[in-house]
Amino acid sequence: MDFEHARSTAAAPLGATSRRSFVGGVGAATGLGSVFERVASHRGDSGGDGPRNGGPNPSGATYHVYRSNGKYRVASGGKGGVEFTVVADGNAEQAFQYAFDQVPADGGTVVADADEFRFGGPAVLGDGTLLTGSGGTRFVASATGSRVGFTERELDVGHDLIRVRGDDAAVTGIEFDADDTRLDNHAVQAEDCDGLLIADNRTVNGFQMALSFAGCENVVVRGNEVIDPNWYGITSRGARDDLDLQRSTDVLVQGNRVADVTFNNIAPYNVSNFGVVGNLCYRGGHSLIACSPSQQGTIVGNVCRDLELEPIAADPGGEAGLEIEYKETHLSDAVAGTDDETSLDVTVANNHVENCGVGFISRTVPVDEADEPEYRQTKRPYSFTVTGNAINGCDTGILIRSGADGVVATNALRANDAQIDIRDSPFAENVQTELNVTRDA
């Protein structure tokens, strides 16, 4: 890939459950069998020693975490006995950390009871570990203080609930409740993992960034519901500077519902070889699905609607249902000045976008506004395809504010104030438009 290409002019309430009812009912009611089947279905195989593609192979090593008589307890499935007990006092992370630490090198499963677990800090999950809920499991965070955030409001600071720091790991079937903490925390945060599955979870009531992965490979984020996070819903960003904007590869974000977000609902930043497929995103403050930047990927079959929250520091051209861009503040030192500092080879196809400021936007955003004319020519998205999308009821349907060697074809645009806006050379070069259909209503 020639970086100069971009520069060229051609270019319900839960009660405590006894150990007997929980352990005895796991196999039959919740079913370890069904848990394993779910993981296998997300992996796309039935176990074995295949390539890492999101989550561990099921293992016979199983630990059950539950609450009984005012205590958190951990029972070993193999031994059938309680191995760890602690008085339950907002410290569920102690029980889960014990269980995670017992998982053998060849992998295992930690099953959380259908109960509410209150955490005082994060628990860290390692290699080959599947953490799964039991159809009613809730993890609740606690506040650790407050501070003024980026939005200039004083907000409660929280902590991560689950950190993933191992390969071939999975988190499934849990509701994560931030308890209205909105800064410095994630429901699930994964770093430097090869083989990660985050599936069938629900996050509510805050988190700065709900589901986060940084510096990971072979990631699947599928079937989650993310409601009312503060900054981002599903993202490769991190709430701490040492996590933020690490590069991830081979990422699939599929079939999630993400709503009520201050910034981006789904934000694969600094990601390559990716797919954002079949998600429902609505009520955001910035672009609902944003690649900023990302390469060699697809944004296909998503529904993006109702970009109705007041944007904070909106970018040039407005906010969109779908976005690809170069943005200087989104670049790590490892990416700046390389081919990967802008979005390229991205296909945006068969999406439905409705009631957004812009339906689709391609743009360049430098830190210094004085650099904008130069950067829109030299650091612009390129080699993108925008096709087969239905874009309705937006101020502008498709806006190419900067970009090179793009194809905008066979889209259906209805009732947009401006249907297609391709900016003049030298900001947009070689953008081909064919067979788009526009309708006033």
Side-chain angles (χ1 to χ4, degrees):
M1 185 66 62
D2 183 3
F3 177 57
E4 291 301 319
H5 190 155
R7 302 177 182 273
S8 73
T9 57
L14 300 168
T17 303
S18 70
R19 175 182 177 274
R20 178 184 298 274
S21 64
F22 172 53
V23 176
V26 164
T30 16
L32 284 178
S34 65
V35 168
F36 294 158
E37 289 167 7
R38 181 169 70 213
V39 173
S41 71
H42 282 292
R43 289 174 53 88
D45 59 27
S46 58
D49 296 325
R52 291 171 177 161
N53 58 351
N57 290 319
S59 166
T62 305
Y63 294 86
H64 311 278
V65 183
Y66 63 101
R67 186 179 62 185
S68 176
N69 297 325
K71 295 181 179 180
Y72 292 128
R73 305 179 191 271
V74 180
S76 166
K79 296 179 181 178
V82 175
E83 296 190 1
F84 178 88
T85 301
V86 66
V87 173
D89 186 21
N91 58 342
E93 73 279 2
Q94 295 180 28
F96 282 96
Q97 193 62 63
Y98 176 88
F100 295 154
D101 291 345
Q102 304 315 301
V103 172
D106 61 349
T109 302
V110 175
V111 182
D113 192 9
D115 206 334
E116 180 177 283
F117 297 89
R118 290 195 166 267
F119 284 64
V124 182
L125 181 154
D127 290 339
T129 302
L130 161 62
L131 167 64
T132 189
S134 301
T137 304
R138 296 183 70 242
F139 288 4
V140 183
S142 57
T144 60
S146 65
R147 67 178 177 85
V148 175
F150 180 79
T151 59
E152 298 183 352
R153 294 178 295 151
E154 185 166 317
L155 299 171
D156 284 341
V157 173
H159 56 81
D160 298 346
L161 283 169
I162 296 297
R163 292 176 179 167
V164 184
R165 297 295 185 266
D167 298 337
D168 297 318
V171 180
T172 73
I174 296 170
E175 180 173 278
F176 295 91
D177 188 336
D179 200 19
D180 210 34
T181 57
R182 296 184 175 271
L183 291 176
D184 304 337
N185 58 346
H186 316 79
V188 179
Q189 202 293 311
E191 182 184 17
D192 196 26
C193 304
D194 186 352
L196 171 69
L197 172 66
I198 304 174
D200 305 325
N201 303 287
R202 186 170 190 262
T203 80
V204 296
N205 298 331
F207 299 110
Q208 182 169 333
M209 304 178 185
L211 304 178
S212 161
F213 52 91
C216 294
E217 301 177 55
N218 301 306
V219 177
V220 176
V221 183
R222 181 184 287 168
N224 303 281
E225 183 179 40
V226 178
I227 306 297
D228 189 33
N230 184 16
W231 279 26
Y232 297 90
I234 299 171
T235 184
S236 53
R237 301 201 66 174
R240 302 196 317 269
D241 288 343
D242 60 324
L243 293 171
D244 200 22
L245 300 172
Q246 295 183 33
R247 189 158 179 77
S248 294
T249 62
D250 303 311
V251 172
L252 175 63
V253 180
Q254 182 178 19
N256 305 279
R257 184 168 78 93
V258 187
D260 300 308
V261 186
T262 301
F263 294 108
N264 306 121
N265 295 46
I266 297 177
Y269 290 3
N270 288 301
V271 166
S272 66
N273 194 26
F274 71 96
V276 180
V277 181
N279 302 280
L280 173 58
C281 298
Y282 57 99
R283 291 198 300 269
H286 278 207
S287 296
L288 300 179
I289 298 177
C291 298
S292 181
S294 298
Q295 302 83 34
Q296 293 91 28
T298 60
I299 304 172
V300 175
N302 304 280
V303 176
C304 298
R305 59 180 174 82
D306 300 336
L307 183 56
E308 61 185 24
L309 302 184
E310 186 68 26
I312 298 169
D315 288 329
E319 300 302 333
L322 306 166
E323 169 189 289
I324 61 173
E325 71 177 357
Y326 165 96
K327 191 170 188 179
E328 197 168 9
T329 58
H330 293 169
L331 304 183
S332 65
D333 290 342
V335 168
T338 74
D339 292 20
D340 298 330
E341 73 173 0
T342 194
S343 295
L344 59 96
D345 291 350
V346 177
T347 298
V348 181
N350 301 331
N351 302 282
H352 180 95
V353 182
E354 186 167 350
N355 191 28
C356 295
V358 181
F360 167 83
I361 191 169
S362 170
R363 67 174 160 211
T364 299
V365 186
V367 171
D368 189 341
E369 290 184 5
D371 292 331
E372 187 174 353
E374 176 190 355
Y375 278 37
R376 286 174 67 189
Q377 300 173 58
T378 62
K379 298 178 182 292
R380 57 193 174 191
Y382 62 94
S383 296
F384 52 86
T385 302
V386 183
T387 185
N389 301 284
I391 301 176
N392 307 326
C394 300
D395 295 336
T396 303
I398 295 173
L399 172 57
I400 310 301
R401 199 168 183 276
S402 61
D405 293 334
V407 175
V408 177
T410 67
N411 300 282
L413 300 106
R414 299 180 181 89
N416 304 294
D417 294 343
Q419 303 284 25
I420 300 176
D421 184 351
I422 311 293
R423 295 299 165 90
D424 292 336
S425 174
F427 303 125
E429 295 278 357
N430 291 345
V431 179
Q432 184 174 359
T433 60
E434 299 288 348
L435 301 176
N436 296 288
V437 177
T438 62
R439 294 287 186 269
D440 292 336

